[in-house]
Amino acid sequence: MSRKLIRFDWAMKKLLRHKANFGILEGFLSELLRFDVTIESILESEGNKQDEYDKYNRVDILVKSPNNELMLVEVQNDSEIDYFQRMIYGVSKLVTEYIKEGEP
């Protein structure tokens, strides 16, 4: 008999994305980052990985720091060669969505 394990990225995408469960995810991220964060929203998620050869799962989360700074947190389990370029794209997209006209 084989045990089926739940991957953390899957749990984030399927279970913890509901606002009622944000406390669990905020606690995890706060411990990981070593400062308290508040989840503003889960921005995007990718993948429906059925086996190890399928596309990987990825979850992007917008969090707010105690200084009211908005930060993009991406959680994924597999390495990716264009990670830096994707993060630049993700941050640029957030800046254009959250900056108000006339703000520096």
Side-chain angles (χ1 to χ4, degrees), residues 37-48:
V37 298
T38 304
I39 296 175
E40 293 292 305
S41 64
I42 295 188
L43 300 173
E44 128 187 2
S45 60
E46 262 186 31
N48 291 312

Side-chain angles (χ1 to χ4, degrees), residues 2 8-9 14 18 21 23-24 27 33-34 40 42 49 57 83 89 91 95 100:
S2 69
F8 185 72
D9 56 345
K14 298 291 185 185
H18 302 291
N21 296 326
I24 298 166
L33 298 171
R34 297 190 177 164
E40 293 292 305
I42 295 188
K49 192 166 181 144
N57 287 316
Y83 177 77
Y89 172 77
V91 170
V95 168
K100 293 177 177 51

Side-chain angles (χ1 to χ4, degrees), residues 6-30 32 38-45 59-63 73 75:
I6 296 175
R7 287 174 46 136
F8 185 72
D9 56 345
W10 180 89
M12 285 182 53
K13 190 170 83 173
K14 298 291 185 185
L15 304 174
L16 301 178
R17 76 177 304 127
H18 302 291
K19 212 163 186 66
N21 296 326
F22 276 8
I24 298 166
L25 194 49
E26 286 172 347
F28 172 76
L29 292 174
S30 294
L32 186 65
T38 304
I39 296 175
E40 293 292 305
S41 64
I42 295 188
L43 300 173
E44 128 187 2
S45 60
V59 179
D60 292 341
I61 305 166
L62 181 64
V63 300
V73 176
V75 178

Side-chain angles (χ1 to χ4, degrees), residues 3 12 27 35 50 52 54 76 85 89-90 93 96 101:
R3 287 181 17 185
M12 285 182 53
F35 57 85
Q50 300 297 320
E52 64 182 311
D54 282 350
Q76 69 181 47
Q85 289 85 355
Y89 172 77
K93 189 172 156 185
T96 60
E101 186 175 341

